[in-house]
Amino acid sequence: MLECVEFIKHNLYSKKEEVEDNFKLISNQRPCKIIAVDGGSSIINDGGSWLIAKIKTASTYYDGDKRIPKKELVNNYYMSLINNSGRHIQRFSPEISLSTNYSGIRELSEAPSVAMKAIELFHAAGRINDLGRDSLLLVDGLLKAESIDQEKALKELEEKSCSKGVHVIGLAKTCRFGLKGRSVIGSLLRAKPDDKWFYHPVSGEEVFIIKLHEKSKYAYMLDLFPHSMNSIDLLMPSLCFYARDPELLGYPYPLLRADKIARVGEHEKKQEESRLRILSKMEGYSFLETDKRATDMHARMDKRAYR
């Protein structure tokens, strides 16, 4: 282990750390109307060449400090996907039209998260009309497309938000962006640990690094559509206003709320698996049990090792 740490230190941290002074301090807070959108997915049965997954999208609505429960929305989908000699066949219940082009994935198990992101972005586009000018729509993850459907959804989201004067922000919880190989998040937190700030540009990239509370130990990467770039000084105080919850200080709590209600947790997943087992016995669908033996041995071994 020590050799691993020494290797990283020698290659990245043996010289003085220098960070360009692209910090802009955030001195105030501004309440506004905000919708936060997130998605969740979990594979319920993996048959090797096919799978069944549950996908959820959720959005929550805040007007200042007040959450409006009547304006929260949760959608549930079941996805069936078959890999037939490289040709994907799929169905969603309830029905939703998505492409079967999953050429970018390495494993079939990656497809539900790709589909989930597209559905999440379409969900976000559908909520634009609930907001007025200079309101915020916060999406989990950067506004980048990894599939045809995601690209189509992002285009729709950008067009609708631009016409309504709504600002869409994509916030990434994980950032692998580097400055000369060093973590950009770690470098900026070491350079300015005790303030609220945003950092832009980042090595010429049109993204921002933000720290939304002076006592938070975390910073995040975000991006937005071009029509919102000139409003950045308006948007940052609003994000700070929604990052005051002690449950996760420095992280926008509308997005935390959306994550909670969209997440397919372990208990929910086990309930869905139980429903499939009952269905298998009642209808004689033995393939539900036998096919998943192609993929579940690691899980069985882990369960035995830690029982």
Side-chain angles (χ1 to χ4, degrees):
M1 183 67 74
L2 178 61
E3 289 85 353
C4 294
V5 176
E6 290 291 343
F7 172 78
I8 294 173
K9 179 183 177 182
H10 174 75
N11 283 276
L12 296 181
Y13 297 99
S14 58
K15 298 179 181 178
K16 183 179 179 180
E17 194 168 13
E18 296 181 358
V19 173
E20 291 186 48
D21 189 15
N22 293 332
F23 291 98
K24 285 84 174 177
L25 295 182
I26 309 170
S27 58
N28 59 343
Q29 300 173 355
R30 183 187 77 94
C32 69
K33 293 180 180 178
I34 183 172
I35 288 177
V37 181
D38 202 355
S41 70
S42 183
I43 296 174
I44 306 303
N45 201 319
D46 186 345
S49 62
W50 60 267
L51 58 79
I52 297 172
K54 185 172 187 178
I55 294 174
K56 295 173 71 174
T57 60
S59 54
T60 188
Y61 187 106
Y62 282 79
D63 187 353
D65 280 321
K66 187 176 181 181
R67 179 172 64 89
I68 313 298
K70 290 183 179 180
K71 292 191 176 183
E72 282 192 339
L73 183 62
V74 181
N75 294 325
N76 294 278
Y77 299 90
Y78 292 94
M79 175 190 190
S80 306
L81 181 65
I82 301 169
N83 180 6
N84 186 359
S85 301
R87 175 173 169 263
H88 294 110
I89 309 168
Q90 70 183 8
R91 179 171 183 173
F92 290 90
S93 177
E95 289 188 14
I96 184 170
S97 179
L98 289 184
S99 168
T100 57
N101 183 357
Y102 293 106
S103 57
I105 65 173
R106 294 168 297 175
E107 300 285 345
L108 196 66
S109 57
E110 297 174 8
S113 63
V114 175
M116 179 209 72
K117 186 63 179 180
I119 297 171
E120 179 184 331
L121 292 170
F122 280 122
H123 182 124
R127 300 232 52 184
I128 290 291
N129 289 335
D130 294 325
L131 292 169
R133 181 167 294 277
D134 287 333
S135 298
L136 280 181
L137 195 151
L138 194 54
V139 177
D140 179 60
L142 298 181
L143 304 175
K144 309 294 182 186
E146 298 177 346
S147 71
I148 294 171
D149 297 300
Q150 291 179 21
E151 186 175 349
K152 181 180 177 181
L154 278 173
K155 183 178 180 181
E156 180 181 335
L157 182 58
E158 182 174 8
E159 289 175 351
K160 285 186 174 181
S161 62
C162 185
S163 66
K164 289 278 290 184
V166 174
H167 302 294
V168 179
I169 291 178
L171 185 74
K173 292 190 286 289
T174 300
C175 174
R176 298 198 178 277
F177 198 84
L179 293 174
K180 298 180 179 179
R182 297 170 176 172
S183 164
V184 64
I185 297 290
S187 295
L188 298 184
L189 286 174
R190 284 188 292 275
K192 198 171 285 292
D194 300 320
D195 296 299
K196 302 193 297 284
W197 45 258
F198 66 93
Y199 188 91
H200 177 82
V202 184
S203 292
E205 296 289 331
E206 289 300 323
V207 293
F208 296 79
I209 306 298
I210 56 169
K211 184 173 179 288
L212 297 175
H213 197 284
E214 58 271 15
K215 293 183 180 179
S216 174
K217 298 183 182 298
Y218 285 84
Y220 308 97
M221 177 175 279
L222 69 78
D223 62 356
L224 34 75
F225 292 129
H227 73 268
S228 296
M229 290 294 291
N230 292 332
S231 301
I232 196 68
D233 290 327
L234 180 74
L235 302 180
M236 294 302 171
S238 293
L239 287 176
C240 287
F241 177 85
Y242 287 107
R244 299 169 295 132
D245 194 314
E247 182 178 357
L248 194 55
L249 202 61
Y251 188 79
Y253 54 81
L255 201 54
L256 179 61
R257 167 72 183 174
D259 176 273
K260 287 181 178 179
I261 58 180
R263 187 178 295 270
V264 183
E266 192 63 28
H267 177 69
E268 185 174 358
K269 179 180 179 180
K270 287 182 178 179
Q271 285 184 319
E272 297 291 353
E273 290 173 340
S274 179
R275 289 177 61 192
L276 273 183
R277 283 195 297 270
I278 293 171
L279 185 66
S280 174
K281 291 178 181 179
M282 290 179 61
E283 302 294 337
Y285 295 157
S286 61
F287 69 90
L288 290 173
E289 291 298 320
T290 54
D291 283 13
K292 74 177 183 181
R293 293 172 193 164
T295 63
D296 71 347
M297 182 51 69
H298 275 295
R300 290 179 64 84
M301 292 175 71
D302 288 343
K303 186 176 180 180
R304 290 183 62 85
Y306 295 103
R307 64 183 181 180

